[in-house]
Each structure stands twice: as C-alpha cells, then as structure tokens.
Amino acid sequence: MAAACALLLQMEAGLRRSRRSSDDGSPAIPGCSSNGECWENEEAERPLYKQRLSPREEERLEKEHFWKIINAFRYYGISIHERVSRSERQFTSLPTNQQKLLPQFLPHLDNIRKCIDHNQQILEDIVNDCIHMFENKEYADDEKKIIMPASTFDMDKLKSTIKQFIRDWSEDGKAERDSCYQPIINEVKKNFPREKCDVSKINVLVPGAGLGRLAWEIASLGYSCQGNEWSLFMLFSSNFVLNRCSQINSFKLYPWIHQFSNNRRSVDQIRPIHFPDVNPHNLPSDVNFSMTAGDFQEIYTERDTWDCIATCFFIDTAHNIIDYIDTMWKILKPGGIWINLGPLLYHFENLANEISIELSYEDIKNVMLQYGFCFEEEKESVLTTYTVNDLSMMKYYYECVFFVVRKPE
C-alpha cells in the first residue's frame, strides 16, 4: 500500500472479545480490575469460548459493542473528573489547619482537570470518523448520541489504551520498544536479509498488533506486513495514528493523571507525552502494509501462507494456547519462522464461564516440538516492562521468554 494512501482496516469476526489490562502500571490481574473490582458481570465483554451465533445475532452484537466502545471514549472525561472531585471532597473534609499545610493541593487538582479535558478532546478526535474506518463495513451513525455511564472494565481498558500511545508512538517508549520489538525486528532481518531475497515478497503477520508500531516498523523495512487486532480500543487508536497523524509530535496526551499513588512529585502526574515520534506515513512507496480487525484464529485459516509470524505479548491472550500453536503451524509456509517475545500472564485465568488452559513454558515448548517446530533461538529471561511509568515509585518487570522456531520444509 502506498504511503500516501489511507491504511484501511479489514473488518472480520470476533471483535467483541477483549483483553484485560490495568491502569496503574501493573500487569493485568486475572479476574479483577486495577482497583480490585472483579468482572463477574461483564458477560457482554466476555462471550463463552467459541460460542456460535447466527449471522444476524452476530451482526447485532457487533454493532452494539462498537457503539459501547465509542461511548466509553466519550464518557472518559465524566469518569475521571468524578475521580478528581472525590479527591477534592476528601481533602476539604480535613481540618482547616491541615489543609493550610498543603496550599498547592487544590491547584494541582485543577491542573489535572485541565489535562482530563485535553485527553477528552483527543479521544473525541480518535472516534470522530470511526464509522468509516473499515473498508468492508460501516456502522450507521448512532441516533441516540447520549453518553451513558461506562463500566469500570471499559474505563480501565481505555486508560490502558492511552498508555499504549507511550509504548508504541512516543519517544518515552523507545526503551521499551528496544527491549520488546527490536529483538523481533532483528530476527526478521537476519532470517530474510535484503541481500538474499526480495523483502517485498516476504509476508509477515503480527497478531495482537495493538497500536501498530511493531507491524509498522517491519513494513518500513520493505517487508509485506499485516497487523491483526481485535480490541476496538486499540483499533480506533491505531487508525488515528496511522491515518490521521502525519507530523512528528503534533499531539500530546497526559497518560499518568489516573495514577494517584506512588508519585514522587505532584508534577510527575501531569507530565505529557507527545506523539507520534515518527511520521507514520513515511513508508516505502510500494510497501504492502495492512491491518485486519477481528479474531486471529477465525481470520487466519489459509494454510502455508506466511513466511514469518511475529508475536509480542500475545500468546497468553489465548483461551487455549494449543489452539494458537495449531494455527501458527497451519498458516506458516514450510520453512517459515515464528518469532515470539512475551510473558505468560494468561488473560482468562480465573474468569467465570471461560475456558483457560494455563500451561508452563516447559509444557508449551513440548507441545511445539511435538507439532514439529524446530527451535533456532531461545532465551528464557528477557527483562522488559509494559507501559511502565519511569517516574513511578512502583514498577513491574517481566522476565519474558524469547524464541524463534521454524516449520520444517
């Protein structure tokens, strides 16, 4: 796809399924949001594993879910303002002599409110043209346009999505990208060197593409690359960056205003990040770069199609990771490689009415060997972070597994 053209998304099945994430810099805790609230009642977000519906019912639920996520983006400001108002109420309930000890506390809350309003404007920009973002489907404009309260689940996911802008498209996320994405990119270049092949004919798939930076980096090297994502929070945001951002650092967000704990300085909470740190339109003129929206296992069924599959923080999103391994084996070409980096924080662990097969890496490796994969590279402790707040007093680190396996000729 030429760089001057808009990157259109192909709409596929399964967009109602969602990943879990937290908003405080911590990893997602299976079964609970970042504030400890369990998600037993979020059934609309979590359909039963491989539940089959009629096409008409599927269409109705897809549309309902689409507008539910749009509503969450629009409800953001209301939700976060209420959180700040709670802090204000609690502070003003203190004795007057204690309040006088902290003359900057209420002005700081006012600064947070300004940041919330700015974030809300960016979120409005993101969803303004979402009904036209898919090349093979459009959703009729929502007639109600009444902003309804969104669930804690959706608010946590939206706050996490805001932090994804750091990881994928800001200078602040470079160290994290270097530790997570660069090892994958290096293996793509090593296995498919420009000196020995026409890289434009090497088909690379990136499941769980998030906001699209890893797929974009691979495409920028001239490879034919397709990202896949099924979270509408991510898809709306990646559509905005890839299609509507053309000037470096022309937008800013305040991703840390939701973090009220573990701040060394008040100003750390309201510091901005700027994005994008590169021009997403700066791709080779003849590059084949695309994104698909939908469930990885349902979309990718054609055998022997891909030269390379690159997964980063993805394989633990499976209900049954053996299904993922089976799909990788089927869709890779003979001689193709699968590159993976990430932890095993199983996303459906402890959720009611959900199948979740939690295997150790040892078991996963044994299954892969039985399928016939040949291990060419393997590291069992690659230290990295995920949307980390560098200035926070609390940080989480992952010791990720990294491997490169080949499907024999």
Side-chain angles (χ1 to χ4, degrees):
M1 179 172 292
C5 297
L7 176 66
L8 294 174
L9 289 143
Q10 183 77 17
M11 174 73 155
E12 301 289 351
L15 281 174
R16 288 177 295 106
R17 301 174 185 170
S18 29
R19 297 190 181 97
R20 298 196 313 284
S21 50
S22 68
D23 70 316
D24 62 352
S26 64
I29 301 172
C32 294
S33 68
S34 60
N35 62 6
E37 177 178 342
C38 292
W39 301 326
E40 296 298 321
N41 297 320
E42 295 292 343
E43 296 301 330
E45 277 293 322
R46 303 187 288 99
L48 293 176
Y49 177 51
K50 291 191 175 178
Q51 181 179 2
R52 296 300 178 186
L53 302 170
S54 68
R56 185 174 181 178
E57 181 68 3
E58 184 72 27
E59 179 77 15
R60 183 188 70 80
L61 290 174
E62 295 283 4
K63 181 178 179 181
E64 181 181 286
H65 180 66
F66 182 90
W67 287 110
K68 179 172 174 282
I69 305 307
I70 294 283
N71 178 78
F73 274 73
R74 291 172 174 165
Y75 185 71
Y76 166 86
I78 298 171
S79 174
I80 311 305
H81 273 301
E82 174 53 35
R83 172 64 182 86
V84 175
S85 295
R86 177 157 61 91
S87 290
E88 182 176 14
R89 290 193 299 270
Q90 292 172 348
F91 179 77
T92 55
S93 71
L94 296 177
T96 302
N97 65 312
Q98 292 186 1
Q99 292 185 46
K100 288 181 178 179
L101 296 173
L102 295 163
Q104 294 305 312
F105 188 87
L106 292 179
H108 174 63
L109 294 185
D110 288 338
N111 287 332
I112 292 177
R113 289 187 173 101
K114 293 176 184 176
C115 297
I116 294 169
D117 292 339
H118 177 86
N119 283 359
Q120 183 63 73
Q121 184 56 59
I122 297 295
L123 296 177
E124 290 286 349
D125 291 343
I126 288 172
V127 299
N128 271 347
D129 66 348
C130 283
I131 60 174
H132 307 299
M133 68 184 281
F134 299 112
E135 66 177 353
N136 61 334
K137 181 183 285 288
E138 283 203 11
Y139 292 97
D141 203 0
D142 189 13
E143 296 178 358
K144 304 181 206 177
K145 290 194 175 177
I146 299 172
I147 301 175
M148 302 295 292
S151 66
T152 301
F153 177 92
D154 283 344
M155 284 297 98
D156 278 350
K157 287 184 66 62
L158 182 54
K159 288 180 281 188
S160 296
T161 301
I162 290 172
K163 292 194 295 184
Q164 287 287 333
F165 281 88
I166 310 169
R167 177 177 171 87
D168 269 19
W169 295 104
S170 81
E171 182 63 29
D172 300 63
K174 184 179 185 303
E176 202 164 280
R177 291 193 301 274
D178 286 347
S179 64
C180 293
Y181 296 167
Q182 200 58 49
I184 294 173
I185 295 167
N186 290 344
E187 287 295 331
V188 172
K189 292 162 65 177
K190 183 177 82 173
N191 282 275
F192 306 100
R194 183 177 298 276
E195 300 78 20
K196 296 183 178 180
C197 63
D198 181 352
V199 296
S200 68
K201 292 184 169 58
I202 301 299
N203 296 317
V204 182
L205 173 64
V206 182
L211 266 60
R213 182 60 178 263
L214 175 58
W216 182 90
E217 291 284 357
I218 293 171
S220 72
L221 297 172
Y223 296 94
S224 175
C225 188
Q226 183 169 96
N228 166 247
E229 179 58 57
W230 45 255
S231 165
L232 285 177
F233 290 95
M234 299 287 191
L235 288 163
F236 291 166
S237 301
S238 63
N239 174 65
F240 180 78
V241 173
L242 294 170
N243 285 327
R244 297 178 61 186
C245 296
S246 58
Q247 294 184 2
I248 294 174
N249 292 332
S250 54
F251 295 92
K252 68 180 176 181
L253 281 167
Y254 298 91
W256 308 120
I257 58 173
H258 323 113
Q259 180 176 323
F260 287 83
S261 297
N262 291 306
N263 292 307
R264 285 190 176 86
R265 301 179 306 160
S266 296
V267 71
D268 293 344
Q269 189 179 8
I270 57 172
R271 73 188 192 278
I273 62 101
H274 295 83
F275 73 94
D277 65 317
V278 295
N279 181 356
H281 294 179
N282 281 347
L283 290 171
S285 60
D286 58 346
V287 72
N288 182 11
F289 177 37
S290 61
M291 293 279 285
T292 61
D295 184 87
F296 164 67
Q297 291 174 250
E298 295 181 15
I299 295 174
Y300 298 101
T301 58
E302 188 175 349
R303 290 179 175 272
D304 304 338
T305 304
W306 299 93
D307 298 288
C308 176
I309 301 172
T311 53
C312 186
F313 278 71
F314 173 71
I315 62 175
D316 54 3
T317 67
H319 288 274
N320 174 9
I321 196 168
I322 301 174
D323 284 343
Y324 275 13
I325 295 170
D326 185 71
T327 299
M328 303 291 183
W329 178 262
K330 287 177 179 175
I331 67 177
L332 270 176
K333 294 178 181 178
I337 62 169
W338 172 16
I339 310 168
N340 175 75
L341 187 148
L344 293 173
L345 182 66
Y346 289 104
H347 287 210
F348 293 97
E349 182 183 355
N350 297 330
L351 286 181
N353 303 317
E354 291 285 359
I355 287 180
S356 181
I357 308 299
E358 299 99 19
L359 301 184
S360 67
Y361 175 62
E362 178 185 39
D363 289 338
I364 292 170
K365 182 176 179 180
N366 286 335
V367 170
M368 293 170 67
L369 289 170
Q370 289 178 70
Y371 263 82
F373 282 111
C374 299
F375 278 74
E376 299 194 345
E377 297 284 344
E378 183 181 26
K379 297 177 183 177
E380 292 193 13
S381 184
V382 177
L383 191 67
T384 187
T385 56
Y386 194 91
T387 62
V388 71
N389 182 350
D390 286 333
L391 299 185
S392 175
M393 297 168 68
M394 181 177 69
K395 301 179 180 69
Y396 287 84
Y397 294 88
Y398 293 92
E399 289 193 11
C400 294
V401 64
F402 175 73
F403 62 71
V404 180
V405 295
R406 188 177 300 275
K407 179 180 177 179
E409 294 278 1

